[in-house]
Structure formats: C-alpha cells, structure tokens
Amino acid sequence: MAQNEFSVSSSVVVQAPPEAVFAVLADPRKHSVIDGSGTVQGEMSGPERLVLGSKFGMRMRRGVGYRITNTVVEYEENRLIAWRHMLPGRWRYELEPVGDAATKVTETYDFAAMLPKLVARTGLPKQNQRSIEATLQRLKDHLEDEQA
C-alpha cells in the first residue's frame, strides 16, 4: 500500500505473465469481474480491446445508478494502461514481469489534476485505497484460477 498527497496505490504479484494480465485490463467487459469497489455494474460499451484513445462506457452504482464514459490516456502494450472519465482523476495499471511467469501489478488512483485538497477531505482516497486492494486481489484470483 502506498499513498502520497494526491494518489493512492497498491501492488500485488499475480502468477500469470504480463500478456495475460494486460488482456484482462484491456478488455472493458472484464472490469466488472475484477472490480473491488462494487460500483461497476456491467453493460460495457466500446471496443473489445482498449488502445490509446479508446472510449468505453459502463453502468455504475454508488448509491444511485449512473453511466460513465472513460478514455484511455496512457498505453504501452503489456506494461501500462490508464484511463479517466470527465473528471481528471486517473486510474493506472503498471505491469512488471517477475521471473518467467509472474507479474507485479500496481494500480494507482491519481487525483492530483482534480481539486486534490478538497478530494482528500472527502474520504474518497481512503475508499479508493480499499477498492484498489480489493480489485488487485480479484484480478489475482481471476487470473490464477484461469491458469490452474
């Protein structure tokens, strides 16, 4: 677990190669499977495989239901993918090979481009920290179950 003034992140080692991990992250239809926040409800729209500039939408629920559209803003095949929606917060996944068959996955929620001091007072960073840790565990479980 890591936190600086304007971002929160966590890492996990997944017993799967970076290509397998990236395939899940780059497929928006898998996001509800790995979501640890409980907000992603499914009904994905957009391409089957995300690339830089891809737009994808989903149905969400945090108290009330809503739809959100995200845009991929960083992309390096099998190494990095990040997206944001209308607010400038950014969700980033960085992948680092570990040996021949494992991957260190770091997820970061960066809210520096928002009103960071206001965001910090809302408690959202702590909620996002818990969601990141749950998402990474779900990603690990999903991939390791597939590899078994």
Side-chain angles (χ1 to χ4, degrees), residues 66-132:
Y66 60 98
R67 293 189 68 76
I68 199 82
T69 299
N70 297 290
T71 303
V72 177
V73 294
E74 293 179 73
Y75 184 92
E76 184 181 339
E77 184 79 21
N78 300 324
R79 301 288 287 177
L80 169 71
I81 190 165
W83 54 80
R84 63 178 284 274
H85 53 66
M86 67 206 168
L87 298 175
R90 183 177 303 224
W91 288 263
R92 173 186 284 144
Y93 292 86
E94 297 171 87
L95 310 181
E96 181 182 329
V98 177
D100 291 335
T103 306
K104 179 182 176 187
V105 183
T106 301
E107 180 182 359
T108 302
Y109 174 65
D110 181 346
F111 56 96
M114 298 169 70
L115 297 169
K117 292 184 180 181
L118 177 63
V119 171
R121 286 194 298 260
T122 66
L124 191 59
K126 287 181 183 175
Q127 285 179 325
N128 283 341
Q129 181 71 54
R130 288 189 299 271
S131 296
I132 285 170

Side-chain angles (χ1 to χ4, degrees), residues 4-15:
N4 69 36
E5 192 175 2
F6 304 126
S7 71
V8 291
S9 67
S10 192
S11 299
V12 69
V13 174
V14 177
Q15 297 303 311

Side-chain angles (χ1 to χ4, degrees), residues 2 22 34-35 37 50 59 61 71 105 119 123 129-131 133 138:
F22 196 83
I34 64 168
D35 172 47
S37 71
L50 300 173
R59 189 169 50 88
R61 183 166 196 82
T71 303
V105 183
V119 171
Q129 181 71 54
R130 288 189 299 271
S131 296
E133 291 166 3
R138 288 176 64 122

Side-chain angles (χ1 to χ4, degrees), residues 47-62:
E48 289 184 20
R49 175 95 171 165
L50 300 173
V51 296
L52 187 63
S54 291
K55 293 190 180 307
F56 64 101
M58 61 188 70
R59 189 169 50 88
M60 307 283 289
R61 183 166 196 82
R62 186 178 293 263

